[in-house]
Amino acid sequence: MLWGSAQVAEATRGAVESIPREQHEAAAALGFGWLGRHAFVILPQAMRRLLPPFVSLLVNIIQNTTLAQVLGAAELLETGERSVERLTAPSVGPNGEFIPGEVHAFEIYGAVMVVFFVISFPLTRLAAYLERRLI
């Protein structure tokens, strides 16, 4: 959480500092005070520059957050593991014959990978689009 906060603060600082000094001076010349300059001139411009790295940071936080990993990755992988165990367990047929279990581990873990991809890829594409569009 502290790491994410520091990253957001650094991205915001970089976006604000990327606004040319002339914009600060022009807002001051129009009579804006420090708060008015930032609220009505600097921050609206900085938000356009902040959005792409912020979305990328959001993707990174989603992928690296302990809570997301514990609740998301571990839960998905555990569900996949239980499915593999259930499908690979041998069973006895109706006439008492031994039926070996089928192994579908590749398909199950492939599906888990697809779920992670479906979560991360659209956000990554959104960040790339915003970077092209807004900067």
Side-chain angles (χ1 to χ4, degrees):
M1 183 138 173
L2 290 175
W3 176 84
S5 300
Q7 292 294 331
V8 169
E10 184 62 23
T12 304
R13 184 198 59 78
V16 169
E17 285 186 359
S18 72
I19 304 302
R21 193 87 199 110
E22 292 82 14
Q23 293 292 320
H24 293 269
E25 294 168 358
L30 290 172
F32 284 106
W34 186 91
L35 187 60
R37 263 195 319 260
H38 283 84
F40 299 112
V41 178
I42 304 304
L43 288 179
Q45 294 177 60
M47 289 304 293
R48 291 178 58 94
R49 296 179 182 191
L50 175 63
L51 204 52
F54 185 74
V55 172
S56 294
L57 180 62
L58 178 64
V59 170
N60 198 353
I61 288 173
I62 287 172
Q63 291 175 347
N64 293 331
T65 301
T66 303
L67 181 60
Q69 183 175 356
V70 167
L71 296 178
E75 187 174 318
L76 273 173
L77 290 172
E78 183 178 323
T79 302
E81 187 176 313
R82 276 186 280 158
S83 298
V84 169
E85 288 171 359
R86 188 183 57 211
L87 290 175
T88 58
S91 60
V92 177
N95 297 329
E97 71 273 8
F98 176 76
I99 301 173
E102 298 179 39
V103 178
H104 294 285
F106 181 77
E107 293 88 352
I108 291 170
Y109 288 123
V112 170
M113 182 184 69
V114 167
V115 169
F116 282 117
F117 180 79
V118 166
I119 291 170
S120 299
F121 185 73
L123 288 172
T124 305
R125 297 308 321 147
L126 175 64
Y129 169 77
L130 291 173
E131 189 171 346
R132 284 192 314 273
R133 178 101 169 103
L134 298 178
I135 292 183

